[in-house]
Amino acid sequence: MRFGRNKKKAVAIALALVVAWMAGCSKIGGDTPPEEAAPGNGAKSFELWLGWSATINNDSLVQSYWRDKEPGVEVQLQATQGDTATALNLRMNTDGFKDAAIFSRNETVKQAMNRSGKIMPVEQYFNMPDRYPGLASIPKPYLERMKDKDGHIWSIPTWFDQNPNDPWPGWASLAWTVRSDVVEKAGMKLEDLATLEGVETFLRKAAQQTDATGKPLLPLGFLMDPNDTFGWNDENAILTAFGVSTSGIGVDKKGGEFVFAYDDPQYKAAYQWMNRLYREGLIDPEVVTDKKERYKEKNKAGRIALNVGSFFNIDPSLWETLNGPTEPGWYYEVIPFPKVKGVEKVGTNQVINPYPQYDVYISKTTKNLEAILTFLDYTLQPKPEQQQVVNEGPAGLYWDWMDQPLGKWKYIDEEYKKARNSGDPAQKSKVTPELYMVSSYNNKWYPWWNYGDTEKAGAAKTARFTEKVGKMGGVRGAHSYDLVIPKQGGLWEKYTPELENIRKEYRAKLLMAKDDTQFEAAWKAFRDALEKRGHWSELKQEWHESYLADVQANGEF
């Protein structure tokens, strides 16, 4: 009888615990959270397929921390071998993936995943703050744009800005970068280069100076890289000053109307200015033919007074390896875009897209759903330092603050630091899988702007440069028209390669025109090529149609 009473009592207690547990869980549309592995029952495990190639070591120190400490999940990584698109289609057309997959966000991946019918909708898990506070913290605008016509969301977004209203500006680098020592020798100050006229005065004075070998300085230099693109090339720093927007496909809203870069009168004006300086000998005469290595050599030797374009093309090692003014690289400084007469606002050369850049898809046949959700709930905690925690472990383990939280930091484990910074993928994979892209980021603190354990004083300049460039007007937050996705199989997809051919062919002709008449002839030929070879009017029409469809589906901002 005693056994019977105890048994009934045990059953009653168990039922009470189950009821209490269920009462504490959120329910959306009658669905309950996954229960196959409740929290606290030991380490959970799942496989994460990476949509890129990588050196994998599933016993890395950071992964061991995830398994043994926080969040108590064993993450077994699988990398993609060979071409990503081929691997994706092959797997989704056969057995799919076991648990979860992370890919950089694009329409091709999204369509392949949805067509396969092998992934599960995940919208309910964003509305369970008591169980998944990290997932519930994802900004709602991101989730709204992910819903299909039935309200389903088919992936968990990652690598987004935690605050879309105050986004981190990214590694902005398109700027005008001048040698302060040359400015000083010219009897000028950096502030004197605030206008285009001031820049021209400086260039003429710089042309009278010589380098360490006695050769005359090259007043203005930039890299015309044959592998650059419309949205990312050095000339865009000049176009920015002239008010031309080149971010994305180069469309901006001016006076309530959409203006494409090639149609902006200032695009022509910028190249007219470059052509005039080239004819005066103020631009490096080898600018059209120089290769990247040769361009870097000229900068290392102190041959160029003013560079326009990405300061990464100059080569940051020229200042990062210095402790003081021992070489020309020490004197580089970024300056604001010079004011151009008639231009009220500089153009946009980089759009800050705070929206998610990666998606985690979950197999509808996974037996490890709770492990996946627990892990992503951990990685997506809305803390400024969370990307650092996910990438390197928590503060105090392998790295720590040098002064105060959200200040400077350094590695505190020498063995970890040695492997982490070795440059050897196999050594690095022993300590961290570098899976920062499963987390998010915040403008309040960005780790590689705040790394304090540098051996050389110049190492801090790159982060300082990019922070300054991000505030010069050429970088702005995204609008809805910046996020328009070209139609799959459409005209933009078909003719973009030819547009690039046209741009690269005529930028050289416009720059090197011998006189105004030849410039005008080259400009007319450029416009004709855009229309005939690039189908320019048709491309703009297709873009407008895609834009209107996007606004109808997602609204405008």
Side-chain angles (χ1 to χ4, degrees):
M1 291 296 292
R2 181 180 299 173
F3 174 77
R5 283 197 302 271
N6 288 343
K7 185 177 182 181
K8 288 179 181 178
K9 185 177 180 181
V11 170
I13 291 172
L15 285 171
L17 289 172
V18 170
V19 170
W21 178 77
M22 291 181 68
C25 292
S26 304
K27 293 185 179 182
I28 303 297
D31 293 326
T32 58
E35 301 173 5
E36 74 280 354
N41 290 343
K44 311 172 195 66
S45 178
F46 76 97
E47 289 184 5
L48 180 61
W49 177 30
L50 308 179
W52 57 88
S53 60
T55 301
I56 300 297
N57 182 334
N58 280 316
D59 290 322
S60 73
L61 295 177
V62 170
Q63 284 167 278
S64 297
Y65 176 84
W66 295 339
R67 180 191 65 219
D68 300 334
K69 300 293 184 180
E70 190 180 23
V73 177
E74 182 176 23
V75 185
Q76 291 290 308
L77 303 177
Q78 290 184 344
T80 296
Q81 303 299 324
D83 179 67
T84 300
T86 302
L88 172 65
N89 287 323
L90 179 62
R91 185 171 286 203
M92 299 316 294
N93 288 326
T94 52
D95 296 331
F97 52 90
K98 180 182 176 183
D99 294 319
I102 180 170
F103 279 78
S104 60
R105 175 166 288 192
N106 67 68
E107 275 301 297
T108 302
V109 173
K110 178 181 174 182
Q111 294 298 331
M113 290 290 185
N114 288 344
R115 280 197 310 268
S116 74
K118 294 175 181 176
I119 59 173
M120 66 167 64
V122 294
E123 64 275 359
Q124 62 170 317
Y125 305 119
F126 303 124
N127 294 290
M128 298 179 179
D130 50 348
R131 187 174 176 100
Y132 304 119
L135 298 182
S137 73
I138 298 173
K140 294 298 183 281
Y142 303 161
L143 298 175
E144 285 299 315
R145 285 186 70 89
M146 294 175 66
K147 289 181 178 178
D148 67 11
K149 57 182 175 54
D150 298 318
H152 292 306
I153 298 175
W154 295 93
S155 64
I156 293 177
T158 64
W159 199 239
F160 50 80
D161 200 299
Q162 294 166 12
N163 185 358
N165 297 318
D166 182 26
W168 176 65
W171 285 95
S173 66
L174 279 177
W176 295 51
T177 309
V178 70
R179 289 255 308 279
S180 61
D181 58 330
V182 179
V183 174
E184 186 177 345
K185 289 177 183 176
M188 301 177 71
K189 298 178 180 179
L190 295 180
E191 294 77 17
D192 295 331
L193 279 66
T195 65
L196 204 61
E197 292 78 12
V199 167
E200 290 186 27
T201 298
F202 166 71
L203 294 177
R204 293 185 178 96
K205 290 185 176 183
Q208 306 304 313
Q209 298 185 37
T210 57
D211 65 13
T213 65
K215 295 178 181 177
L217 288 185
L218 300 168
L220 178 63
F222 51 93
L223 180 66
M224 296 182 77
D225 190 338
N227 296 313
D228 64 21
T229 65
F230 167 81
W232 191 256
N233 64 76
D234 276 3
E235 296 112 287
N236 282 357
I238 295 174
L239 290 165
T240 300
F242 276 78
V244 180
S245 290
T246 56
S247 59
I249 63 169
V251 62
D252 203 359
K253 209 168 189 178
K254 294 187 176 183
E257 298 290 330
F258 289 116
V259 178
F260 288 79
Y262 291 145
D263 298 337
D264 192 327
Q266 290 300 108
Y267 189 95
K268 179 182 181 181
Y271 274 93
Q272 283 177 314
W273 182 76
M274 286 185 258
N275 173 244
R276 179 165 61 81
L277 263 60
Y278 186 83
R279 280 150 51 186
E280 288 184 36
L282 297 178
I283 291 179
D284 181 358
E286 298 177 328
V287 68
V288 175
T289 56
D290 262 352
K291 298 294 186 290
K292 184 173 291 189
E293 287 307 312
R294 175 65 176 147
Y295 179 67
K296 289 182 178 182
E297 286 173 8
K298 287 180 177 179
N299 281 294
K300 182 175 177 60
R303 298 276 297 118
I304 302 175
L306 172 66
N307 298 77
V308 289
S310 173
F311 60 69
F312 287 114
N313 284 338
I314 298 172
D315 191 356
S317 70
L318 299 188
W319 52 80
E320 289 179 343
T321 55
L322 303 180
N323 249 333
T326 54
E327 294 182 33
W330 179 264
Y331 297 98
Y332 281 108
E333 289 293 339
V334 292
I335 58 173
F337 298 104
K339 296 184 183 301
V340 178
K341 286 183 179 177
V343 175
E344 296 180 4
K345 184 180 178 183
V346 300
T348 301
N349 58 47
Q350 184 174 327
V351 166
I352 306 171
N353 183 0
Y355 280 72
Q357 301 299 306
Y358 288 82
D359 289 285
V360 177
Y361 298 90
I362 302 177
S363 169
K364 69 178 184 181
T365 60
T366 182
K367 298 185 185 303
N368 299 303
L369 179 56
E370 175 63 15
I372 299 167
L373 296 175
T374 298
F375 179 69
L376 291 174
D377 186 65
Y378 165 74
T379 66
L380 293 174
Q381 293 178 73
K383 300 176 182 178
E385 73 274 21
Q386 192 62 15
Q387 64 156 307
Q388 172 78 349
V389 172
V390 170
N391 216 51
E392 315 286 354
L397 186 59
Y398 302 118
W399 66 277
D400 209 347
W401 308 110
M402 293 177 67
D403 42 18
Q404 59 186 351
L406 304 188
K408 297 292 184 181
W409 67 276
K410 66 176 182 178
Y411 291 110
I412 57 174
D413 185 306
E414 285 302 317
E415 289 302 312
Y416 183 97
K417 178 182 178 180
K418 182 179 178 181
R420 176 72 174 81
N421 295 338
S422 66
D424 179 354
Q427 288 297 313
K428 187 184 292 186
S429 70
K430 290 181 180 179
V431 294
T432 176
E434 285 195 288
L435 213 59
Y436 65 86
M437 64 285 292
V438 297
S439 62
S440 55
Y441 53 92
N442 191 305
N443 197 22
K444 289 182 180 178
W445 189 79
Y446 197 82
W448 297 107
W449 283 11
N450 291 277
Y451 183 53
D453 192 19
T454 55
E455 297 178 0
K456 304 292 185 180
K461 293 184 73 168
T462 302
R464 179 169 61 83
F465 283 179
T466 194
E467 194 168 7
K468 289 177 68 174
V469 174
K471 298 175 182 178
M472 289 178 180
V475 180
R476 64 162 172 78
H479 295 300
S480 50
Y481 58 82
D482 297 308
L483 304 180
V484 174
I485 299 172
K487 189 183 300 182
Q488 275 202 308
L491 298 176
W492 276 99
E493 193 174 287
K494 182 178 181 180
Y495 291 113
T496 293
E498 186 60 19
L499 279 181
E500 277 295 281
N501 292 337
I502 294 168
R503 179 184 69 85
K504 290 174 180 176
E505 175 185 344
Y506 283 95
R507 67 174 176 179
K509 292 180 179 180
L510 292 170
L511 178 71
M512 297 191 298
K514 294 180 180 179
D515 52 37
D516 292 346
T517 300
Q518 193 176 81
F519 181 92
E520 289 297 331
W523 178 258
K524 184 180 184 304
F526 170 59
R527 296 297 303 178
D528 289 344
L530 282 177
E531 198 61 48
K532 294 174 184 176
R533 290 162 50 191
H535 298 258
W536 187 232
S537 295
E538 297 170 55
L539 289 175
K540 290 185 289 184
Q541 179 62 32
E542 182 185 82
W543 181 89
H544 277 281
E545 291 170 358
S546 298
Y547 169 73
L548 292 174
D550 184 77
V551 169
Q552 187 173 7
N554 301 303
E556 189 173 21
F557 64 92

